[in-house]
């Protein structure tokens, strides 16, 4: 149980385009989803936390107009990188925390990540 | 303030050697969770272990073992008889449980890159 998928796994786009990354919890209800960004040889950096049906909470320094997060259902959150530029190239990872029936998972489950390259 | 320190940036050993990855944490909470994750070159995080602050028993899983010492705020990870497939970046993380409404946000260490040479 507790599987999180991410799509696409890899995307290459031209500068100025927008890219949407989907994060799905496959067998549990993700009441909270997290979006991370990871630069080469660095640790994970939390970008934002989103709870289903409410606006995401962004970490300091993360542009909310640049990185649009939607958590419209208990199984899906999307991250849209708007007007992407080469400096947005990174590895983006989502994770989810939530419920399977009456069981509360007291940890985060991670998606496989999306590698974004902006040319 | 919460903090996780992995002082070893990179460790390189020859296959079959034992290797220990250090993790030191800081927290004011009495209830918290500690994690270790493995990140191979593919990038996907692999969950290795979760330990809560009330369970100080050491854990062994095959070639992996963990030493939790609250007195020194450390949660070290040892790989016995290392193999080339163990080569990866290993992250230690801390989560402070704050009750039923907690979202279990993780505080990450910087990671230790482990290179196992054949």
């Amino acid at each position: 149980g507790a599987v999180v998928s991410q799509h696409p796994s890899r995307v290459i786009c031209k500068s100025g385009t927008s890219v949407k990354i989907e994060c799905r919890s496959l067998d549990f209800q993700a009441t909270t989803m997290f979006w991370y960004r990871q630069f080469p040889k660095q640790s994970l950096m939390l970008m934002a936390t989103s709870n289903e049906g409410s606006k995401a909470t962004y970490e300091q320094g993360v542009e909310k107009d640049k990185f649009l997060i939607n958590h419209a259902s208990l199984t899906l959150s999307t991250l849209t990188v708007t007007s992407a530029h080469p400096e947005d190239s990174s590895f983006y990872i989502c994770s989810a925390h939530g419920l399977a029936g009456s069981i509360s998972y007291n940890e985060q489950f991670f998606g496989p990540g999306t590698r974004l390259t902006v040319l | 303030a919460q903090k996780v320190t992995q002082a070893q940036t990179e460790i390189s050993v020859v296959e079959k050697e034992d290797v220990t990855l250090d993790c030191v944490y800081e927290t004011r909470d009495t209830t918290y969770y500690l994690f270790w994750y493995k990140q191979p070159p593919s990038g996907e995080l692999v969950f290795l272990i979760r330990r809560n602050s009330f369970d100080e028993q050491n854990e062994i899983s095959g070639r992996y073992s963990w030493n939790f010492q609250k007195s020194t705020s450390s949660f070290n990870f040892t790989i016995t008889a290392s193999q080339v497939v163990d080569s990866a970046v290993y992250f230690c993380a801390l989560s402070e449980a704050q009750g039923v409404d907690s979202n279990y946000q993780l505080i990450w260490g910087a990671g230790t890159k482990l290179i196992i040479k054949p």
Side-chain angles (χ1 to χ4, degrees), chain B residues 17-84:
Chain B
E17 287 185 11
D18 298 347
V19 59
T20 296
L21 283 62
D22 298 332
C23 173
V24 175
Y25 63 92
E26 295 176 30
T27 177
R28 294 179 184 171
D29 276 16
T30 56
T31 303
Y32 52 90
Y33 296 88
L34 293 164
F35 300 81
W36 275 94
Y37 290 90
K38 174 182 180 180
Q39 188 176 43
S42 66
E44 183 165 0
L45 286 167
V46 178
F47 168 81
L48 296 178
I49 191 171
R50 182 189 75 203
R51 177 50 51 94
N52 76 55
S53 53
F54 297 109
D55 183 1
E56 284 196 73
Q57 281 191 341
N58 290 332
E59 174 110 1
I60 298 176
S61 176
R63 296 184 296 108
Y64 295 171
S65 62
W66 290 268
N67 185 357
F68 180 26
Q69 297 276 348
K70 285 181 79 169
S71 60
T72 55
S73 297
S74 65
F75 187 43
N76 297 337
F77 172 36
T78 297
I79 301 175
T80 303
S82 59
Q83 300 176 3
V84 173

Side-chain angles (χ1 to χ4, degrees), chain A residues 8-10 33 54 56 60 103 108 114:
Chain A
S9 59
R10 184 180 295 269
M33 282 187 167
S54 60
Q60 194 172 9
I103 300 173
Q108 297 180 28
T114 297

Side-chain angles (χ1 to χ4, degrees), chain A residues 13 47 76 89 101 112:
Chain A
C13 69
M47 299 174 67
L76 173 65
S89 297

Side-chain angles (χ1 to χ4, degrees), chain A residues 8-103:
Chain A
S9 59
R10 184 180 295 269
V11 58
I12 302 173
C13 69
K14 292 182 179 179
S15 186
T17 60
S18 293
V19 175
K20 181 184 283 189
I21 302 170
E22 291 187 349
C23 178
R24 294 182 186 273
S25 58
L26 300 185
D27 51 4
F28 68 103
Q29 296 179 325
T31 50
T32 305
M33 282 187 167
F34 304 84
W35 287 95
Y36 295 88
R37 183 174 181 176
Q38 187 181 29
F39 291 107
K41 300 183 180 180
Q42 293 190 23
S43 187
L44 281 73
M45 181 192 81
L46 180 66
M47 299 174 67
T49 303
S50 73
N51 293 297
E52 184 265 337
S54 60
K55 290 183 179 180
T57 301
Y58 290 81
E59 295 298 302
Q60 194 172 9
V62 178
E63 299 175 58
K64 57 183 67 176
D65 295 331
K66 173 76 171 176
F67 299 99
L68 300 179
I69 292 171
N70 184 284
H71 191 168
S73 78
L74 284 171
T75 58
L76 173 65
S77 176
T78 59
L79 166 68
T80 301
V81 183
T82 61
S83 188
H85 287 93
E87 58 266 29
D88 299 322
S89 297
S90 190
F91 191 56
Y92 292 87
I93 305 173
C94 74
S95 71
H97 162 259
L99 300 168
S102 60
I103 300 173

